[in-house]
């Protein structure tokens, strides 16, 4: 095989790969994984960079996404807290206290829940309701850049970037005030919701 033919084949292969990299195609890929494992449980490391602090704040936790019920976002360390995000309800648990909010009281939290649900449940196309979506190839996988379209998101968020391959690897959230939050995900054992988690999910209905 001569160099020219090899070059043509290489260019064609790259073009074909780029053509296949679309939001619907990526959504279908993640949705297929969701069908095999409907309840998505993922551990994460959270690094938050705050203006004025020399080192990022580090936290650890877990996200549980149950399609049709809601998202449980649990911080384990350094301070435990849990956020239940449903279609019309928000439940905040901190320091042993529970607060029930209506979505209208904190619309950005509903969008956060929609983001996590869409990402971990393989429903990326739903993000187009709130964000301009730009999908691109990166070494070893893909990157999805989200720019908010409407208030109140435009007032708080500058940009969200997601990277992954077969699964979501990282989510980087850049706030308007200069803060930066990075979530590094690691798949966890696929265990069903505990009795305590299921009770909280029931409250989100």
């Amino acid at each position: 095989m001569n160099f020219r033919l090899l070059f043509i084949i290489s260019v064609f292969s790259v073009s074909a790969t780029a053509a296949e990299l679309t939001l619907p195609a990526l959504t279908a890929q993640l949705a297929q994984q969701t069908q095999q494992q409907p309840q998505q449980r993922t551990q994460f490391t959270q690094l938050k960079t705050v203006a004025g602090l020399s080192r990022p704040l580090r936290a650890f936790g877990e996200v549980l996404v149950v399609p049709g019920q809601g998202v449980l976002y649990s911080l384990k360390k350094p301070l435990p807290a849990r956020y239940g995000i449903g279609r019309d309800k928000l439940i905040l648990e901190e320091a042993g206290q529970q607060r029930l909010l209506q979505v209208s009281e904190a619309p950005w939290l509903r969008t956060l829940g929609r983001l996590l649900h869409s990402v971990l449940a393989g429903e990326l196309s739903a993000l187009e309701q709130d964000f301009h979506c730009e999908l691109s190839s990166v070494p070893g996988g893909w990157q999805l850049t989200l720019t908010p379209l409407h208030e109140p998101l435009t007032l708080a968020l500058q940009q969200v970037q997601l990277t992954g391959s077969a699964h979501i690897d990282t989510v980087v959230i850049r706030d308007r005030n200069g803060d930066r939050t990075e979530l590094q995900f690691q798949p966890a054992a696929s265990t069903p919701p505990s009795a305590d988690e299921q009770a909280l999910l029931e409250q989100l209905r």
Side-chain angles (χ1 to χ4, degrees):
M1 182 180 295
N2 61 40
F3 176 79
R4 178 176 296 181
L5 180 58
L6 179 62
F7 175 76
I8 292 174
I9 292 176
S10 300
V11 170
F12 177 79
S13 300
V14 170
S15 299
T17 302
E20 294 171 359
L21 185 64
T22 64
L23 196 62
L26 180 58
T27 298
Q29 173 188 326
L30 295 177
Q32 184 177 8
Q33 296 170 4
T34 301
Q35 291 176 0
Q36 299 172 355
Q37 185 179 326
Q39 298 168 351
Q40 298 287 318
R41 190 182 294 273
T42 306
Q43 296 177 344
F44 66 84
T45 299
Q46 177 179 297
L47 300 173
K48 187 173 183 63
T49 303
V50 180
L53 297 181
S54 58
R55 295 182 179 180
L57 303 174
R58 186 183 297 266
F60 303 90
E62 184 177 83
V63 174
L64 173 64
V65 176
V66 181
Q69 296 190 47
V71 174
L72 300 185
Y73 184 85
S74 303
L75 290 172
K76 307 295 186 181
K77 297 178 181 180
L79 297 175
R82 184 162 63 176
Y83 305 84
I85 308 170
R87 182 181 299 273
D88 300 310
K89 294 180 181 178
L90 303 170
I91 296 177
L92 311 182
E93 289 185 346
E94 296 178 292
Q97 301 295 318
Q98 186 178 103
R99 296 182 60 202
L100 175 62
L101 303 176
Q102 296 301 314
V103 170
S104 59
E105 297 180 66
W108 68 272
L109 270 179
R110 182 183 65 171
T111 303
L112 174 61
R114 182 181 298 171
L115 172 63
L116 292 173
H117 185 281
S118 298
V119 169
L120 297 177
E123 298 178 359
L124 296 180
S125 298
L127 297 175
E128 294 180 300
Q129 300 176 30
D130 298 308
F131 298 93
H132 169 71
C133 302
E134 183 178 349
L135 184 62
S136 59
S137 297
V138 296
W142 50 265
Q143 178 175 279
L144 180 61
T145 301
L146 308 175
T147 305
L149 296 174
H150 316 291
E151 293 186 3
L153 285 177
T154 53
L155 301 177
L157 292 179
Q158 178 180 357
Q159 192 180 75
V160 180
Q161 282 187 328
L162 303 89
T163 59
S165 52
H167 302 278
I168 304 299
D169 296 324
T170 62
V171 175
V172 177
I173 303 171
R174 293 180 173 85
D175 297 341
R176 287 288 179 188
N177 62 8
D179 292 352
R180 179 182 184 275
T181 302
E182 179 176 344
L183 298 171
Q184 302 171 351
F185 291 103
Q186 304 87 34
S190 179
T191 57
S194 65
D196 180 54
E197 289 172 332
Q198 189 59 51
L200 183 54
L201 288 168
E202 291 291 335
Q203 295 181 60
L204 296 175
R205 291 184 176 181

